[in-house]
Amino acid sequence: MNKMGQIFADYFSDNMVLPANKEIRFGGTVKPYTKVLLSLEKVTIETSADSRGEWSIEFPAHAASKKAISIIGKSGGFSQIINNVHFGRVFLFAGQSNIEFKLEDEQHFENEKKIYQNDSVYFFNVPQIEFFDKRRNKKRPTDLKKGQWLLATRDNIGGMSAIAFYASKVLARDYEGPIGIVDCYKGGTSASCWLPLNLLKESKVLNDHFIKPFEDAILNKTKADFDQEDLNYEKKVKNHQNSLLEYQKKYPEKTLNEVKDVVGHTPWPPPMRPESYLRPGGLFETMILQIKYGTFNNVVWYQGENDTENADYYEELLSNLINTWRELFRDKSLPFLLIQLPGYEDGIDNTWAKIRQVQLRATMKIPYVKLCSISDLGESHNIHPTDKKTPGIRIGNILQENQYAETPGITKMCYEANRLTIIVSHALTLSFKNNTQFVVKTKGNKVESLFSANNFAGNKIEIDLPQGAASVEYGFINFPNLGIFNEFGLPLSPFRIVIEKEKARLSK
């Protein structure tokens, strides 16, 4: 008689959702070279583990069904059963703090908790392992629980990503089958944390900018040195918090934005140490590889805030991340939905605008990459807006393609006889709100602002430019005042276009 034991990777647990109508990959770790038999309904497939004990099996596509099934794995006299498995649609939500932002901290949570009813949304929070000590076989933090798939209920939705929660409500409303949400995020992180270390080292630019500074920061330091640096940082944070509280007590009528204008923001980042989760390649190793056998319908990537200082390198980071994850998940056409950063005043030198430009360019250069701009949202001095309902619903509508598969963006541009013509995708008509302007810079760096109100015809924008125009910008600042929307009220993505040799192109 078979004994029960672990055969599947932790990602595979009771109550999970798998994508319907796609080949499904299963995997895990057993004794090296032992056989593994996997049974799903009437189909059984056999394979053997490799020298490290790792195994994987791909199963044929399975139709969507509300009927739950069980999956049975057997190996070396042991068996493991995954019960209550559903086939529907599965979405990976990944990135940093704004997608990590929990529903329990979101401004509409109490009302959502009262009214929430659900029998079709399930979620899996990937454990936030920061470091794995292979020599001692220990994980940090040491108190992390194993991840498990859960049916979303009033009692546990507070632990979901707020944005993923609101998106899942839209998806569940408009799709008859089960919805699976996989949350994989960690606040304060660069995209370099989510890439393999060897890939970063292979690029001279990324190696010089991310790997070498990390190595220099930890070089020739003892544990005592690292601990002292941490104490000094904690003292700075505590002093900042005290200053914040004192100022708020003295001026209770002031908003948080106004307070931060005076006392500044929480010190960040903390000092680097070898086991820091902020190290290059760290979270790819400790978090993404936990779900390497996953199969997904879409990836929602909301990140970039911590790379605003790395804006010149973000295009290479982002394209590598998309390609690497597609390779890991064995899906070359895996769709990515990039969440274009919201407005935020405090970045320097339009760095937030530069990240948005990279995100826009990625949708034009990389197949199966789409954009959801939330650049019309955000708070001027609060990097973590507490309204996640508005962006979450927008993301859900785009994933479900209720209106369009993405927000409006440039699909074509032409420059001729001092006239710039822009064709906008995902819009039949464009409307003008607010006092939005196109900012035109000439070769002598003279700035002229042209109002956009009379430049529309359907989804076309035409701008007559002065002689010697070098660039045209729309919303290309950290906290833009966007005023161009499609018929569903979705914002046109901010952009910067350069004019060179009588031709127009998106700037880097």
Side-chain angles (χ1 to χ4, degrees), residues 316-345:
E316 187 171 352
L317 287 174
L318 184 59
S319 62
N320 276 322
L321 184 139
I322 292 168
N323 293 332
T324 300
W325 287 21
R326 284 175 172 172
E327 183 178 344
L328 179 72
F329 300 132
R330 298 193 182 181
D331 187 347
K332 292 181 180 179
S333 59
L334 177 62
F336 272 70
L337 181 64
L338 305 181
I339 310 305
Q340 193 177 44
L341 292 184
Y344 180 63
E345 191 84 59

Side-chain angles (χ1 to χ4, degrees), residues 240-255:
H240 173 268
Q241 290 173 337
N242 289 338
S243 298
L244 192 75
L245 291 172
E246 286 177 14
Y247 195 85
Q248 286 178 315
K249 198 176 288 184
K250 190 174 181 180
Y251 302 101
E253 75 282 0
K254 290 188 178 291
T255 66

Side-chain angles (χ1 to χ4, degrees), residues 34-46:
T34 55
K35 289 184 179 180
V36 177
L37 277 79
L38 205 63
S39 298
L40 190 160
E41 294 187 317
K42 296 179 180 180
V43 179
T44 298
I45 299 178
E46 179 182 308

Side-chain angles (χ1 to χ4, degrees), residues 216-423:
D216 290 344
I218 65 173
L219 184 65
N220 297 328
K221 290 181 181 177
T222 65
K223 182 180 182 300
D225 293 331
F226 293 124
D227 291 344
Q228 185 60 53
E229 287 179 347
D230 284 345
L231 286 173
N232 294 341
Y233 173 72
E234 289 167 9
K235 185 177 180 180
K236 283 174 64 177
V237 172
K238 189 173 182 180
N239 289 340
H240 173 268
Q241 290 173 337
N242 289 338
S243 298
L244 192 75
L245 291 172
E246 286 177 14
Y247 195 85
Q248 286 178 315
K249 198 176 288 184
K250 190 174 181 180
Y251 302 101
E253 75 282 0
K254 290 188 178 291
T255 66
L256 182 61
N257 287 351
E258 291 170 328
V259 173
K260 286 183 176 180
D261 273 341
V262 176
V263 299
H265 294 264
T266 304
W268 187 264
M272 194 62 74
R273 54 190 302 155
E275 65 273 22
S276 170
Y277 69 87
L278 298 174
R279 69 194 185 280
L283 295 179
F284 181 86
E285 178 185 346
T286 62
M287 291 187 69
I288 293 300
L289 290 185
Q290 289 186 63
I291 54 172
K292 66 181 180 180
Y293 299 113
T295 308
F296 306 103
N297 293 98
N298 289 82
V299 176
V300 178
W301 177 249
Y302 185 172
Q303 186 276 338
E305 301 95 324
N306 266 82
D307 277 315
T308 51
E309 294 182 3
N310 309 314
D312 291 339
Y313 312 97
Y314 195 67
E315 188 156 1
E316 187 171 352
L317 287 174
L318 184 59
S319 62
N320 276 322
L321 184 139
I322 292 168
N323 293 332
T324 300
W325 287 21
R326 284 175 172 172
E327 183 178 344
L328 179 72
F329 300 132
R330 298 193 182 181
D331 187 347
K332 292 181 180 179
S333 59
L334 177 62
F336 272 70
L337 181 64
L338 305 181
I339 310 305
Q340 193 177 44
L341 292 184
Y344 180 63
E345 191 84 59
D346 294 345
I348 58 170
D349 193 28
N350 290 338
T351 49
W352 283 61
K354 292 175 182 178
I355 294 292
R356 294 188 199 109
Q357 184 83 346
V358 172
Q359 293 167 326
L360 174 61
R361 282 169 54 86
T363 66
M364 301 178 74
K365 293 175 61 179
I366 307 174
Y368 313 110
V369 176
K370 298 184 183 300
L371 189 71
C372 175
S373 180
I374 56 172
S375 305
D376 58 322
L377 308 177
E379 298 176 20
S380 57
H381 300 291
N382 182 9
I383 202 168
H384 300 124
T386 58
D387 173 22
K388 303 301 184 190
K389 187 172 186 177
T390 304
I393 290 173
R394 184 177 296 178
I395 291 166
N397 280 320
I398 287 173
L399 289 171
Q400 188 61 27
E401 298 188 18
N402 285 336
Q403 299 158 351
Y404 288 109
E406 56 184 307
T407 46
I410 296 174
T411 188
K412 188 178 180 181
M413 66 192 88
C414 175
Y415 179 71
E416 195 172 63
N418 292 331
R419 170 166 285 198
L420 177 65
T421 301
I422 299 170
I423 307 299

Side-chain angles (χ1 to χ4, degrees), residues 419-488:
R419 170 166 285 198
L420 177 65
T421 301
I422 299 170
I423 307 299
V424 176
S425 65
H426 305 97
L428 288 176
T429 59
L430 296 170
S431 61
F432 171 76
K433 303 175 185 177
N434 308 326
N435 291 321
T436 299
Q437 296 174 318
F438 296 115
V439 176
V440 180
K441 295 181 180 179
T442 62
K443 291 174 183 175
N445 211 30
K446 181 182 177 184
V447 177
E448 296 187 23
S449 296
L450 304 178
F451 282 92
S452 57
N454 299 315
N455 300 104
F456 300 135
N459 67 336
K460 182 189 295 185
I461 303 173
E462 293 186 331
I463 311 169
D464 290 317
L465 301 178
Q467 192 72 31
S471 66
V472 179
E473 298 174 358
Y474 165 68
F476 197 77
I477 56 176
N478 288 334
F479 193 71
N481 175 29
L482 299 186
I484 302 175
F485 299 82
N486 71 3
E487 63 269 29
F488 294 108

